[in-house]
C-alpha cells in the first residue's frame, strides 16, 4: 500500500466562486476522489490552514508520496514547513508538484533556481508524451489536448531534469517541459504543469492517469533513507 497525502493551499476555492463551482470541496478532494479508486493507495488530504500547515513531522513520516497544489499563498508556507518537507523528500518521500507548485518554497528549494517561466491564461494545450515507456506515461496517448489551460512557456528556469516525460505545446505558439523528473537524495520528484484552478483540468482522465502513475513511480524504494555523513574504519588494513 502507498500512503498518499494530497496537500492544497485551498484558498482560490474559498474566494473565487468560479473556482468553487469547479472544485466545490477543493482541488485536493477532487484529485483524492479519483485516487481513492486505486486499491493500492491510502489517500489523505491536508491544507494550509490545518494545524502545522497540514505538514507536521508525524504527517510526513506517514506519507510515501506528497502531492502539492499551491499558488496564491506560497509565502504563507513557513520556511520551517518547507524545510521539513524537503528533508523528508531527501530521506525518500516522493513529491509531485502540480501546476503553480513550480513557485512553491519546496520546489524552489529542491531545484535551487528561480523556477521562473512565461505565463498567460486561456490557451489550448496539446501535451506530447516523449518517453512512452516511462512508468508515468503508461496508458497515456502519444498526445492529448486540454481545451483550456494556462500557458507556461520556456525558458523555464529549472536545473536540467533527469527526464522530460511530457512536452506541452500551446495555441499561442509556446512550448514547455510539462512533465519532468528529478531525484533529490533518496526521493523521487515529478513536476507536472497542467492544473490551473479556473479550468477543469483535474477532471481530465489523462491528467488523472498521469498523477496516479506518478504516485506509483514516486513511492519510496525499500531501502530509501537519508544518507548520513560517516567516518568508517578502512575495510583493508
Ligand atoms: Zn495557474
Amino acid at each position: 500500500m502507498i500512503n498518499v497525502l494530497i496537500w492544497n493551499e485551498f484558498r482560490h476555492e474559498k474566494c473565487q466562486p468560479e473556482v468553487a463551482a469547479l472544485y466545490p470541496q477543493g482541488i485536493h478532494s477532487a484529485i483524492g476522489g479519483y485516487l481513492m479508486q486505486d486499491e493500492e493507495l491510502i489517500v489523505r488530504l491536508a491544507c494550509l490552514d490545518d494545524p502545522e500547515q497540514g505538514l507536521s513531522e508525524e504527517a510526513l513520516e506517514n506519507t510515501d508520496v506528497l502531492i502539492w497544489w499551491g499558488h496564491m499563498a506560497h509565502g504563507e508556507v513557513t520556511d520551517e514547513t518547507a524545510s521539513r518537507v524537503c528533508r523528508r523528500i531527501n530521506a525518500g518521500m516522493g513529491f509531485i508538484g502540480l501546476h503553480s507548485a513550480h513557485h512553491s518554497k519546496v520546489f524552489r528549494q529542491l531545484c535551487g533556481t528561480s523556477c521562473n517561466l512565461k505565463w498567460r491564461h486561456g490557451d489550448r494545450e496539446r501535451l506530447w508524451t516523449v518517453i512512452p515507456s516511462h512508468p508515468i506515461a503508461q496508458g497515456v496517448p502519444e498526445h492529448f489536448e486540454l481545451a483550456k489551460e494556462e500557458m507556461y512557456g520556456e525558458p523555464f528556469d529549472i536545473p536540467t531534469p533527469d527526464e522530460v516525460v511530457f512536452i506541452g505545446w500551446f495555441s499561442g505558439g509556446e512550448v514547455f517541459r510539462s512533465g519532468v523528473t528529478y531525484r533529490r537524495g533518496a526521493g523521487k520528484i515529478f513536476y507536472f504543469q497542467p492544473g490551473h484552478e479556473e479550468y477543469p483540468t483535474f477532471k481530465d482522465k489523462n491528467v488523472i492517469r498521469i498523477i496516479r502513475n506518478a504516485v506509483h513511480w514516486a513511492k519510496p524504494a525499500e531501502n530509501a533513507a537519508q544518507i548520513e555523513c560517516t567516518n568508517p574504519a578502512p575495510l583493508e588494513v
Side-chain angles (χ1 to χ4, degrees), residues 5-11 14 28 45-56:
L5 182 61
I6 308 175
W7 187 92
N8 177 14
E9 65 177 27
F10 201 18
R11 291 289 168 82
K14 291 175 180 169
H28 53 321
L45 307 176
C47 54
L48 181 59
D49 293 330
D50 288 348
E52 297 195 62
Q53 306 199 311
L55 297 163
S56 66

Side-chain angles (χ1 to χ4, degrees), residues 68-70 74 95 97-104 107-108 152 191:
W68 188 285
W69 198 98
H74 288 323
F95 180 79
L98 298 172
H99 188 56
S100 36
H102 72 288
H103 259 179
S104 63
F107 191 67
R108 283 175 133 168
Y152 276 8
Y191 168 76

Side-chain angles (χ1 to χ4, degrees), residues 69 71 99-100 121 149-150 152 195-197:
W69 198 98
H71 180 227
H99 188 56
S100 36
H121 288 162
E149 205 13 281
E150 183 176 6
Y152 276 8
H196 183 69
E197 68 278 1

Side-chain angles (χ1 to χ4, degrees), residues 81-201:
T81 297
S83 294
R84 192 157 62 228
V85 172
C86 288
R87 276 199 305 277
R88 178 80 183 103
I89 292 167
N90 272 276
M93 181 179 73
F95 180 79
I96 299 171
L98 298 172
H99 188 56
S100 36
H102 72 288
H103 259 179
S104 63
K105 287 184 180 178
V106 169
F107 191 67
R108 283 175 133 168
Q109 191 169 322
L110 293 167
C111 285
T113 54
S114 73
C115 301
N116 289 340
L117 44 71
K118 294 190 177 78
W119 63 274
R120 180 178 61 243
H121 288 162
D123 276 46
R124 178 166 57 93
E125 177 173 15
R126 181 177 297 130
L127 279 129
W128 286 91
T129 303
V130 293
I131 310 181
S133 60
H134 198 285
I136 298 177
Q138 295 313 295
V140 179
E142 183 182 59
H143 59 83
F144 66 96
E145 293 198 11
L146 300 169
K148 271 199 170 179
E149 205 13 281
E150 183 176 6
M151 183 280 291
Y152 276 8
E154 300 282 348
F156 183 19
D157 186 20
I158 48 172
T160 300
D162 293 346
E163 300 159 309
V164 179
V165 186
F166 302 102
I167 287 177
W169 168 90
F170 295 87
S171 50
E174 291 86 356
V175 293
F176 193 68
R177 289 168 288 175
S178 290
V180 298
T181 71
Y182 296 98
R183 278 173 188 264
R184 290 292 183 269
K188 291 183 189 164
I189 296 156
F190 179 60
Y191 168 76
F192 191 52
Q193 160 266 318
H196 183 69
E197 68 278 1
E198 294 172 299
Y199 311 130
T201 302

Side-chain angles (χ1 to χ4, degrees), residues 91-92 186 220-227:
E222 264 178 39
N223 56 355
Q226 173 72 56
I227 292 174

